[in-house]
Structures are given as structure tokens and as C-alpha cells.
Amino acid sequence: EPEVTQTPSHQVTQMGQEVILRCVPISNHLYFYWYRQILGQKVEFLVSFYNNEISEKSEIFDDQFSVERPDGSNFTLKIRSTKLEDSAMYFCASSENPRSGDGYTFGSGTRLTVV
Amino acid sequence: QKEVEQDPGPLSVPEGAIVSLNCTYSNSAFQYFMWYRQYSRKGPELLMYTYSSGNKEDGRFTAQVDKSSKYISLFIRDSQPSDSATYLCAISGGSNYKLTFGKGTLLTVNP
């Protein structure tokens, strides 16, 4: 069964450093998303990406964050100047057609720890 | 009012029990209703997807949507220890179909 692959599975970084979280969506999917989940809290929407551009972003997704699809297969989330409160699980999701019965496929996540 | 509300539990049941999980939502523009299962430190895994009021059945799982009451449910029959996980309701709609999640209900099925 096709999978969304995320790397790394766990990243520890010092406050103020930049991190890049990587995702390989399912190959025929056109809609891409990043979500995050702070420990003990809801899964929260960060950003959606379609047709090589951001289609919607949440208020969490400020200038500290950026997304890119650098080579047609990878989908990255960059966090500049990380803060302690950025510590969370970050999930990438993709969908061929979000109105279809297949919904969204999530990756296993990257656990980001900012120290 | 929060967009999606879900009782976080925890819920503990004996093996073989029928489990009922519920969410309410506030925005009538939501069109698509999903249930995800999440094991510890893993990504959400889609269990059920529906877009209309009524019931949808898949094996031991039944998803129920009542749009007039803005209420969705997931029923698990003959629950198994392997069903122990966090169950997330998720709802989408609008132009980008982003998901809005409930907080999740932690379920433990005891052998």
C-alpha cells in the first residue's frame, strides 16, 4: 500500500537553529498538507499546498515557517530560528482528491524537540 | 465555541464490548467526516470516511453522521485489545479541504 514517508523520525535542535522536515507524498497525489501535534493536544492544521503554491495557511504558520516542493517528489517544511514551543510531532499528509473516499494519508511524523 | 469537540476520555472497556465514540461540530459548512486511529507516536490512520448523513459500515466499525444535530459517532463492535488507540474525529470542508480534528479519545480494550 502506498505510504507517505517522513524523515527524520526524530530531530533534536537547539533553540534558534533552523530545521528542515522532509516528506515524500504518494506519487499521484496533488494536495499536500502539514499538521502538527503538541504533546497532549489536538492535531492542528499548518498549511496546505496545491499546484506548487500555498493554498491556505493557519495563523500558526507565520514568517518563521516555509514550505517547498523542490524537486517534484519531496515536500519540505522549514522552520527558521526554532523556539521551545515548536517542539511537537509534525505530520505530512497528502491526498489525490480530498473529496474522494480515500481521504488523506498521513506519514508517521517527525518528532521535533527544541532544547 | 470550538469547531470540533470530542470527549478525550480515557475510555476503558472489556474485550467484546461495543464502543461508542462521539464528536460535535459547530460549522454547518463542514461536508466530509472522518475517523482516524492513532497509535502512540504514530501518524493518524484513516478508518472511516463519509460525506452524508446516515450510517456507513465497514466490518466491525460503523460511522454515523447527523448533520441536523452536527453530531458524528463511531461504533466499534466486538472490540479487541488491538483496537486500543486514540480515535480522532476529523471534519473538512471549504475550498482547501483542510482537516479540523477533535482532541481524540484514548480507548483501552482490556483482554
Side-chain angles (χ1 to χ4, degrees):
Chain A
E1 191 167 326
E3 287 186 338
V4 174
T5 305
Q6 289 187 245
T7 55
S9 57
H10 186 198
Q11 174 137 13
V12 181
T13 189
Q14 288 202 325
M15 193 168 54
Q17 296 297 303
E18 174 182 286
V19 295
I20 297 176
L21 310 182
R22 291 183 167 80
C23 170
V24 180
I26 294 172
S27 61
N28 63 332
H29 285 189
L30 302 175
Y31 296 81
F32 312 115
Y33 305 83
W34 283 100
Y35 290 82
R36 80 172 184 191
Q37 186 176 31
I38 295 171
L39 187 63
Q41 298 189 23
K42 284 187 180 187
V43 177
E44 301 175 289
F45 168 75
L46 289 178
V47 66
S48 58
F49 193 86
Y50 172 72
N51 202 23
N52 288 323
E53 61 183 25
I54 290 174
S55 47
E56 185 173 351
K57 55 185 180 180
S58 73
E59 58 190 27
I60 302 169
F61 194 90
D62 59 21
D63 292 344
Q64 181 196 9
F65 295 89
S66 61
V67 290
E68 225 176 31
R69 195 148 187 253
D71 57 12
S73 60
N74 291 286
F75 180 48
T76 62
L77 175 69
K78 183 190 291 186
I79 310 175
R80 288 182 279 276
S81 189
T82 49
K83 303 185 279 243
L84 294 176
E85 54 265 39
D86 294 328
S87 296
M89 286 288 288
Y90 287 81
F91 295 108
C92 173
S94 70
S95 176
E96 180 181 8
N97 178 356
R99 287 166 287 184
S100 76
D102 294 332
Y104 308 73
T105 303
F106 281 79
S108 291
T110 293
R111 183 156 61 103
L112 176 65
T113 303
V114 182
V115 297
Chain B
Q1 185 182 11
K2 292 180 183 176
E3 284 194 295
V4 181
E5 302 227 33
Q6 182 176 8
D7 184 345
L11 184 61
S12 181
V13 301
E15 184 174 353
I18 296 174
V19 176
S20 172
L21 305 167
N22 309 294
C23 287
T24 58
Y25 63 96
S26 58
N27 188 344
S28 57
F30 285 135
Q31 302 166 285
Y32 302 95
F33 309 93
M34 284 150 271
W35 285 94
Y36 282 84
R37 178 172 61 197
Q38 185 179 27
Y39 294 110
S40 182
R41 299 193 183 279
K42 296 290 185 185
E45 171 197 7
L46 182 66
L47 279 178
M48 300 287 285
Y49 181 113
T50 185
Y51 55 87
S52 58
S53 282
N55 293 351
K56 181 178 180 179
E57 195 171 310
D58 184 0
R60 296 186 294 111
F61 297 90
T62 299
Q64 191 174 79
V65 175
D66 181 346
K67 287 188 176 181
S68 61
S69 302
K70 300 190 185 70
Y71 192 86
I72 67 171
S73 301
L74 178 71
F75 299 96
I76 307 174
R77 288 183 297 283
D78 187 25
S79 54
Q80 302 296 308
S82 57
D83 294 329
S84 298
T86 297
Y87 288 80
L88 308 167
C89 62
I91 304 175
S92 78
S95 57
N96 295 304
Y97 300 95
K98 69 180 183 191
L99 294 178
T100 301
F101 283 88
K103 195 169 183 183
T105 300
L106 177 60
L107 171 68
T108 302
V109 181
N110 301 300

